[in-house]
Amino acid sequence: AQSVTQLGSHVSVSEGALVLLRCNYSSSVPPYLFWYVQYPNQGLQLLLKYTTGATLVKGINGFEAEFKKSETSFHLTKPSAHMSDAAEYFCAVSGPPGAGGTSYGKLTFGQGTILTVHP
Amino acid sequence: DTEVTQTPKHLVMGMTNKKSLKCEQHMGHRAMYWYKQKAKKPPELMFVYSYEKLSINESVPSRFSPECPNSSLLNLHLHALQPEDSALYLCASSQKLAHEQFFGPGTRLTVL
């Protein structure tokens, strides 16, 4: 079984400030982890992913995330927020290819975090 | 072509209507997905196709009927829907099952 918890349904930062969105996961197999962003009335856009290898992954728009197995975390950060970063962010987990099990092929999402950026 | 397209963008239908949602990708992906997203909620998986075969059905009511005519196309046939079925319907595709998924812009469905 797999699950995702995003701490904080709403996060508010000032333009230029650090963005930190928290994500903790639970998975019975080595996880694949993803962050998606969704702007109002649009689909989801992949920001970054962790599969294997380097635990610090860089994504689009200056975002990065670090996979910490010991903490079962995959927090998303950006050094300096921009007004255009205001959106909803979803953390998601899936089992890797070949893992099998009832969760195979399923992407499990967290509840989402709405990021507001103030001028 | 690196995108997933969905038509129509908006759809309003009565409870007795029959309509279809369409999804298309030309990335050579062999897994395709339908999700339902209500306001302020994460997407909920409905169906998964892998190599044009239905792989996962998340106990979706039979008034939703998926179809995968070929590796590039995914349809969702709608019949006798209820007002609570109003939502954003998202299509996604991935190279294979469990690979990263790419989402389309969605169809905003309103059932009157």
Side-chain angles (χ1 to χ4, degrees):
Chain A
Q2 55 193 27
S3 66
V4 175
T5 301
Q6 290 183 239
L7 297 173
S9 58
H10 289 81
V11 170
S12 181
V13 300
S14 298
E15 193 174 18
L18 171 71
V19 175
L20 171 60
L21 304 183
R22 299 178 188 272
C23 171
N24 287 88
Y25 70 91
S26 171
S27 177
S28 56
V29 296
Y32 278 14
L33 293 159
F34 308 87
W35 275 99
Y36 285 89
V37 61
Q38 186 176 32
Y39 297 96
N41 296 311
Q42 294 189 26
L44 278 70
Q45 181 183 13
L46 181 66
L47 276 178
L48 49 78
K49 64 179 180 180
Y50 169 78
T51 54
T52 58
T55 56
L56 181 64
V57 292
K58 295 186 184 300
I60 61 172
N61 301 339
F63 284 94
E64 61 182 39
E66 186 171 10
F67 170 62
K68 291 188 177 180
K69 185 178 178 180
S70 61
E71 298 177 10
T72 60
S73 69
F74 191 57
H75 301 330
L76 181 71
T77 60
K78 180 173 181 176
S80 177
H82 192 273
M83 297 295 288
S84 61
D85 294 327
E88 187 160 20
Y89 292 79
F90 292 98
C91 181
V93 63
S94 75
T102 56
S103 298
Y104 184 61
K106 295 184 184 180
L107 197 58
T108 300
F109 289 92
Q111 289 300 303
T113 298
I114 295 173
L115 175 66
T116 303
V117 182
H118 297 287
Chain B
D1 191 348
T2 59
E3 65 174 2
V4 177
T5 59
Q6 290 186 244
T7 55
K9 280 192 170 184
H10 301 274
L11 178 62
V12 180
M13 60 186 290
M15 290 190 285
T16 58
N17 292 157
K18 284 185 181 181
K19 296 286 185 182
S20 296
L21 308 184
K22 180 180 171 182
C23 173
E24 195 164 3
Q25 57 87 14
H26 295 287
M27 294 179 279
H29 290 175
R30 303 312 300 269
M32 296 186 76
Y33 311 77
W34 279 116
Y35 290 86
K36 173 183 177 181
Q37 187 179 27
K38 301 284 274 185
K40 310 295 186 191
K41 295 290 186 183
E44 298 173 28
L45 183 65
M46 300 174 72
F47 303 103
V48 181
Y49 274 83
S50 178
Y51 288 87
E52 294 98 72
K53 286 185 170 41
L54 186 63
S55 177
I56 297 175
N57 177 341
E58 290 288 79
S59 302
V60 178
S62 60
R63 56 186 183 268
F64 295 91
S65 175
E67 178 196 20
C68 190
N70 60 57
S71 60
S72 301
L73 275 176
L74 185 65
N75 298 319
L76 186 62
H77 303 298
L78 314 173
H79 173 56
L81 294 193
Q82 303 297 310
E84 60 264 30
D85 296 321
S86 298
L88 182 67
Y89 286 84
L90 294 164
C91 174
S93 70
S94 64
Q95 186 179 359
K96 294 181 183 179
L97 277 183
H99 288 241
E100 65 197 71
Q101 295 181 26
F102 295 86
F103 284 79
T107 293
R108 175 70 62 186
L109 174 67
T110 302
V111 182
L112 301 175

